[in-house]
Amino acid sequence: MRQELQVTVSSPVRKPDIQIASAWDPTRNKRIPILHHQDQTFRLLNVFPKSQSKEVSFIWWNLTDNLGKTCLLLKGSKSHSIWEKVRLDELIDDASLPWNAVDAASSTFVRATLLLLQAVYAEVDYFFGARHAELFEKDVTKVLQQENLPQSDSRDLVRQLLKVDPLIAAHLVVWQERHLTILLQKVYELALEFFSNDTFTARVFSALEDLPTKERVMFTVWLAEQFPDGKTWKLPQTDASRI
């Protein structure tokens, strides 16, 4: 069930039917924000700048319509936030977060995978034009559906994954590491079809520069483990020396 509130966010929020407080989370050793609204309790999932209102609305829609979550979208004058309904005794249960589900891949790996996906898409668009970029989008959609990746039955979602900030996009899907491996394998094969060789990898890997060094190292090590043949998604030597 979705709920949207149009309010001006202050600190604290001043609205008769909204109360924002905090609860102690011993797993993080800190207090976390909680919101009370109409006898319901919500936990903060994320805060976004107002400039990303369209992306936030899509995330909210995905959580409620695709994942069946009961979420509240709080729209403020400077920022928007998404809150998920929980019971008080669930507040320290990380598994209830849709992108921290049991067996789900880490957000770092998801974000890095999406960075590579978006970089390939950008390369196709740059070298071959918008029509081929659209074909690539359709091919990715078809791959996700054929491989039965969760939440991949919507082309709108794929379009979001290709174009929105990867930090936001990583919250749109709940994929396991094997799903990421499948996606990376198929995207690599699609890119080979477009470029006829693997020279695109050197340019595409530069997208990982957006990651903090620690996360980039973690992902590249993981990537090498997923493709031990040393050919698929081989990290350029110049980049390897930097990590």
Side-chain angles (χ1 to χ4, degrees):
M1 181 177 65
R2 61 176 63 181
Q3 300 183 58
E4 177 178 345
L5 297 179
Q6 298 276 359
V7 302
T8 299
V9 176
S10 59
S11 183
V13 173
R14 300 185 182 279
K15 190 174 176 65
D17 57 347
I18 298 177
Q19 179 184 0
I20 292 182
S22 63
W24 182 256
D25 184 349
T27 63
R28 299 185 180 92
N29 196 31
K30 66 178 183 179
R31 304 193 71 81
I32 59 174
I34 59 172
L35 182 149
H36 299 290
H37 172 63
Q38 296 181 347
D39 298 323
Q40 297 176 319
T41 300
F42 296 81
R43 169 181 33 196
L44 178 66
L45 294 185
N46 215 331
V47 179
F48 306 88
K50 189 176 182 180
S51 60
Q52 295 175 333
S53 58
K54 291 184 179 180
E55 290 90 341
V56 175
S57 294
F58 188 86
I59 292 174
W60 176 54
W61 168 82
N62 187 59
L63 289 171
T64 55
D65 284 31
N66 285 345
L67 295 181
K69 300 288 182 178
T70 299
C71 293
L72 182 148
L73 172 58
L74 192 65
K75 290 190 172 182
S77 59
K78 296 183 179 180
S79 64
H80 303 329
S81 55
I82 298 179
W83 305 71
E84 179 193 13
K85 182 181 177 182
V86 293
R87 298 196 313 267
L88 286 175
D89 59 357
E90 291 179 331
L91 283 174
I92 63 171
D93 182 8
D94 283 345
S96 65
L97 281 174
W99 47 79
N100 283 333
V102 175
D103 296 329
S106 74
S107 60
T108 294
F109 291 172
V110 175
R111 184 153 58 112
T113 297
L114 294 176
L115 279 171
L116 293 182
L117 171 64
Q118 291 183 354
V120 172
Y121 174 78
E123 289 289 305
V124 172
D125 186 41
Y126 179 79
F127 284 100
F128 303 106
R131 188 174 71 85
H132 285 82
E134 185 177 354
L135 291 175
F136 178 78
E137 179 185 310
K138 290 181 179 178
D139 287 341
V140 171
T141 303
K142 186 183 300 183
V143 164
L144 296 180
Q145 293 172 346
Q146 289 177 342
E147 298 296 334
N148 294 318
L149 265 67
Q151 305 162 247
S152 58
D153 57 347
S154 167
R155 189 174 173 188
D156 286 338
L157 176 60
V158 174
R159 186 174 292 115
Q160 289 287 325
L161 295 178
L162 286 171
K163 297 180 179 180
V164 303
D165 182 341
L167 183 60
I168 296 176
H171 295 166
L172 290 176
V173 291
V174 183
W175 288 340
Q176 298 175 5
E177 290 187 9
R178 64 185 181 87
H179 297 138
L180 301 182
T181 302
I182 291 172
L183 176 59
L184 287 167
Q185 176 68 50
K186 296 300 181 180
V187 168
Y188 183 84
E189 294 172 359
L190 287 174
L192 283 179
E193 292 180 10
F194 277 95
F195 293 97
S196 301
N197 55 55
D198 65 353
T199 57
F200 65 90
T201 56
R203 299 186 299 271
V204 167
F205 271 118
S206 65
L208 298 180
E209 293 296 320
D210 291 340
L211 293 172
T213 301
K214 181 178 179 180
E215 293 186 9
R216 188 169 68 251
V217 171
M218 288 174 55
F219 176 72
T220 52
V221 170
W222 175 83
L223 190 65
E225 292 174 347
Q226 306 311 303
F227 302 101
D229 60 3
K231 299 178 181 180
T232 306
W233 288 116
K234 182 180 179 180
L235 191 68
Q237 190 62 39
T238 54
D239 289 343
S241 64
R242 296 177 59 183
I243 63 172

